[in-house]
Amino acid sequence: DMTHPFEMCITIILLINMLTVCMQHHGQPSEFVDAEFYVGLIATGVFAFETVVKIIAWDIWYFRSWWNVFDFILALASSVS
């Protein structure tokens, strides 16, 4: 349910991360490169935290939703990269 504050926070962080990635351009200032790196790092940490919290809360049921499996794969891939 998107009205839940937890889901709203995750969505806002996702949008902020998406915006910073979309704003990449040739010749961008080094401060922007640094900010983009830290926004990505924070977003990855938040998404990993979200995954862990959901797995703890839902137990094995977490993996019965394809969206959760998709989120898990993305969080894992983001953490590895």
Side-chain angles (χ1 to χ4, degrees):
D1 185 352
M2 280 301 297
T3 59
H4 193 278
F6 182 75
E7 294 296 326
M8 289 296 283
C9 287
I10 296 299
T11 301
I12 290 168
I13 292 168
L14 175 66
L15 290 173
I16 291 169
N17 189 43
M18 183 181 67
L19 279 172
T20 59
V21 169
C22 289
M23 291 172 57
Q24 290 179 356
H25 61 280
H26 179 71
Q28 61 191 13
S30 62
E31 295 84 13
F32 184 78
V33 174
D34 292 342
E36 181 185 18
F37 171 78
Y38 289 113
V39 167
L41 192 64
I42 290 167
T44 299
V46 169
F47 298 144
F49 175 75
E50 175 199 18
T51 301
V52 169
V53 168
K54 284 185 172 181
I55 289 172
I56 290 169
W58 294 4
D59 198 26
I60 193 68
W61 295 100
Y62 175 82
F63 293 102
R64 295 192 185 237
S65 164
W66 286 110
W67 277 116
N68 288 340
V69 172
F70 180 67
D71 280 347
F72 178 79
I73 291 168
L74 288 180
L76 187 62
S78 295
S79 297
V80 171
S81 68

